[in-house]
Amino acid sequence: MADTKREIERKYESDDAALPDLTRVRGVASVRDRGVTHLDATYHDTADLRLAASSVTLRRRTGGADAGWHLKFPVAPGVRDEIRAPLSDTLPDELAALIRSRVRDRDVRPVVRLRSDRDVRHLLDDQDRLLAEVSVDTVHAERLTGEGGEARWTEIEVELADDGDPDFLDKVEKRLRKAGVRPSASASKLARALAETEPGTASASTSSAQKGAPGTPPATAPEAAPRHKHRPRPDGTPVTVGDHVLAYVRAQRDALVELDPAVRQDVPDAVHRMRVATRRLRSTFRSFRSVLDRTVTDPVSADLKWLATELGADRDQEVLAERLTQALGRLPADQVNGPVAERLAAWSEARHHGAHHQLLAVLDSRRHLRLLDTLDALLADPPLRKKAAARPDKALAKAVAKDFGKLSRLVEHALELPPGTERDTALHEARKKTKRTRYAAETAAPALGGPAEEAVRDMKALQGLLGDHQDSVMARRTLRELAAVAHAAGESDFTYGVLHAGEAHRARAAEEALPEAWRSISREFPF
């Protein structure tokens, strides 16, 4: 069974392998020598180093207290989540699943072997509590593929103790710098090993990806330069409307890849964020049909709709369960009759377990992996139309205005309808169009600045109002189902009726607030 540990560490190099006196670090009462440990780690990756390109590392290591398989995902500079599994001869299935969105159907094989002699010291406070672990690692790297060579170096690693204060690392670094120690040029041992054992001279792009340079997108497949006339500037700044649209598409593709492990691990909000990424992609393909050829994007949109539906089975249940649980908690005790909380919890757990199990099958499916490959191919050779080469300001503003015009017609139509099922459906359609308008404005924001950002804020506010209404519709439907089950079991259905009435009140409040909110938004909308 794998377990996860948040790893916060910094790496340094020095011309002198000796450590300075670390008892002079503020807060350190003593330094305890823990001896030397021999570590032998074999790093695994695809032939084209897909994991290394996205700063993900997978290794099998012997020696030390944590021998086994280690999979590390970047969180922030100097921060990684390490997922560990017991030592075995082959890659554990649970770790193989967590890298599937990146490697797809490519084989994972040994690429680098690192043998290290680790001289460890513990920094302790005056209560003998561990503050950080400092190690001096003498490393021997060996490339296991092609005609790669070998490399040797010594580095210093400082890892914060569990639940430690990250500011403590600044104090240690200050002392190290005074002693002539400098931060490592490589983000990890693997990055340095790949750079120093590669035959010939590594290209600038490879070195940048391996070192996890800021702003380097997670690699999934090599991307060729766009075929349109104007290309992003050398620093990556978009120039044309096509550049801006592709930058937004790329960000959502990256989100689908990066969120896959979190969804598999059932991390809170991960399903919601992945579903949003699929919606953003679909909306972008629709809003910018003058930029991207729809004969190429329409089939992709169909697969994205399928994925969003599969993700929704878990997400919708999660939202409803939280909403109803909170509503039940606000009721006075004399309005809660029967085992309502227990029945709600059982319903939530059963639905979630089934939905999550189905979602794992979806993420492993050929259709989902093919979708990721298709998005890679689309970005590598984008189906840009002639208008993609236009200046971004007018083209992006026009797209946002067009979506807002469609939204206006939907909202006005909904407001003309009497309360009831038909109005509920119309408001739900307006909600979906609100999201599309918001995502178009998000695409435009880097080019248009303030007006687009204002549009995003307006759409988020409207989306919240319409979302609360739609959640109430779904909650009332669920409450009727739960009440029927409770009644059949001989339980009181009174509390379900109370909750239903409360949801109906929330829906009316949203509908009553909508006209004024819409007048304000439509009057001041910047496009």
Side-chain angles (χ1 to χ4, degrees):
M1 184 67 181
D3 61 271
T4 302
K5 177 180 182 297
R6 175 63 55 89
E7 179 183 82
I8 303 176
E9 65 180 19
R10 298 182 187 180
K11 297 180 181 295
Y12 303 90
E13 54 192 41
S14 172
D15 298 328
D16 181 1
L19 286 173
D21 180 7
L22 296 177
T23 58
R24 298 178 61 182
V25 176
R26 186 153 53 92
V28 175
S30 63
V31 176
R32 183 169 299 167
D33 192 337
R34 303 298 296 177
V36 178
T37 302
H38 180 72
L39 305 175
D40 191 341
T42 300
Y43 287 78
H44 292 64
D45 208 332
T46 59
D48 56 356
L49 301 177
R50 288 177 166 233
L51 297 179
S54 55
S55 300
V56 174
T57 61
L58 172 65
R59 73 187 180 202
R60 179 186 183 275
R61 191 169 78 180
T62 58
D66 62 347
W69 286 89
H70 304 158
L71 175 60
K72 299 186 180 186
F73 291 101
V75 176
V79 182
R80 295 187 292 182
D81 278 341
E82 181 179 272
I83 303 168
R84 300 174 178 175
L87 193 64
S88 61
D89 292 336
T90 58
L91 176 62
D93 291 342
E94 52 199 320
L95 298 191
L98 296 179
I99 60 173
R100 190 157 293 134
S101 66
R102 288 176 167 87
V103 306
R104 318 286 165 75
D105 57 357
R106 279 74 173 175
D107 290 332
V108 175
R109 58 183 183 175
V111 294
V112 167
R113 182 183 184 186
L114 294 182
R115 285 168 285 179
S116 306
D117 289 323
R118 170 164 290 182
D119 189 359
V120 179
R121 293 164 180 79
H122 283 178
L123 306 187
L124 307 173
D125 65 9
D126 56 6
Q127 300 296 315
D128 215 30
R129 292 173 299 200
L130 180 65
L131 298 171
E133 179 178 285
V134 180
S135 63
V136 179
D137 295 344
T138 303
V139 185
H140 174 206
E142 178 186 1
R143 190 75 165 242
L144 302 178
T145 58
E147 299 179 357
E150 300 182 10
R152 290 177 170 81
W153 70 87
T154 299
E155 69 178 34
I156 298 170
E157 184 176 291
V158 183
E159 182 174 350
L160 189 68
D162 293 346
D163 301 320
D165 182 359
D167 290 342
F168 177 70
L169 294 182
D170 293 333
K171 301 173 184 177
V172 177
E173 179 165 318
K174 182 178 180 180
R175 176 65 185 134
L176 292 175
R177 283 180 176 271
K178 284 184 177 180
V181 177
R182 57 190 177 276
S184 175
S186 296
S188 67
K189 288 183 176 67
L190 176 61
R192 183 167 182 173
L194 289 172
E196 296 190 11
T197 63
E198 183 179 13
T201 303
S203 67
S205 60
T206 300
S207 297
S208 174
Q210 289 170 349
K211 293 179 181 179
T216 302
T220 50
E223 292 181 6
R227 293 181 297 177
H228 56 299
K229 182 177 179 181
H230 300 288
R231 296 177 181 176
R233 297 186 179 94
D235 64 357
T237 303
V239 175
T240 66
V241 61
D243 294 336
H244 283 275
V245 171
L246 288 176
Y248 195 74
V249 170
R250 184 174 292 105
Q252 307 319 313
R253 185 279 311 269
D254 291 349
L256 290 181
V257 172
E258 293 173 350
L259 286 167
D260 181 284
V263 171
R264 292 176 184 273
Q265 293 176 293
D266 209 11
V267 174
D269 204 41
V271 170
H272 170 62
R273 291 163 60 200
M274 181 179 278
R275 192 183 187 192
V276 169
T278 65
R279 286 172 168 170
R280 282 176 166 145
L281 280 168
R282 287 186 66 218
S283 293
T284 302
F285 292 153
R286 290 184 177 185
S287 297
F288 297 97
R289 286 174 173 170
S290 64
V291 175
L292 296 173
D293 186 351
R294 64 178 299 180
T295 63
V296 176
T297 60
D298 279 359
V300 185
S301 292
D303 281 341
L304 288 168
K305 182 178 181 180
W306 160 77
L307 178 57
T309 300
E310 296 291 348
L311 290 165
D314 197 12
R315 172 59 183 171
D316 290 344
Q317 180 275 335
E318 181 183 13
V319 170
L320 279 177
E322 182 179 359
R323 184 183 181 100
L324 294 177
T325 300
Q326 291 179 352
L328 180 62
R330 291 192 294 267
L331 290 182
D334 61 356
Q335 293 186 16
V336 180
N337 294 344
V340 181
E342 292 80 0
R343 183 167 293 283
L344 181 57
W347 167 82
S348 175
E349 178 61 27
R351 289 283 299 272
H352 174 70
H353 179 76
H356 187 68
H357 182 76
Q358 169 62 21
L359 186 52
L360 293 181
V362 167
L363 296 180
D364 286 334
S365 70
R366 181 64 252 172
R367 184 175 184 180
H368 175 61
L369 298 179
R370 187 175 62 244
L371 169 60
L372 297 180
D373 283 340
T374 301
L375 289 170
D376 291 346
L378 185 149
L379 288 164
D381 188 16
L384 295 168
R385 303 181 67 186
K386 289 183 179 180
K387 291 184 179 180
R391 290 173 55 87
D393 44 8
K394 291 184 178 180
L396 291 171
K398 183 178 179 180
V400 177
K402 183 177 180 180
D403 280 340
F404 184 74
K406 294 178 180 178
L407 169 62
S408 297
R409 290 189 287 275
L410 287 175
V411 173
E412 296 295 344
H413 171 66
L415 291 175
E416 292 173 354
L417 296 172
T421 302
E422 189 176 357
R423 175 184 260 198
D424 291 343
T425 301
L427 289 174
H428 182 47
E429 291 301 314
R431 179 195 181 200
K432 291 190 288 186
K433 191 65 68 176
T434 300
K435 294 178 182 178
R436 180 169 161 183
T437 307
R438 171 187 169 183
Y439 301 149
E442 287 178 351
T443 306
L448 303 184
E453 293 167 359
E454 180 183 346
V456 171
R457 289 192 294 270
D458 286 345
M459 292 302 98
K460 286 178 69 174
L462 182 60
Q463 182 181 329
L465 188 62
L466 294 174
D468 191 48
H469 181 274
Q470 177 61 16
D471 288 347
S472 174
V473 172
M474 299 302 295
R476 281 176 280 162
R477 181 183 304 171
T478 299
L479 286 167
R480 288 192 292 270
E481 295 172 357
L482 290 173
V485 173
H487 181 76
E491 300 167 5
S492 170
D493 56 7
F494 170 77
T495 301
Y496 301 99
V498 174
L499 292 172
H500 189 283
E503 288 295 344
H505 175 75
R506 292 181 68 171
R508 286 194 300 273
E511 291 183 37
E512 291 170 359
L514 179 60
E516 178 56 34
W518 176 246
R519 279 193 296 270
S520 176
I521 290 173
S522 59
R523 183 172 58 246
E524 301 177 5
F525 196 73
F527 295 100

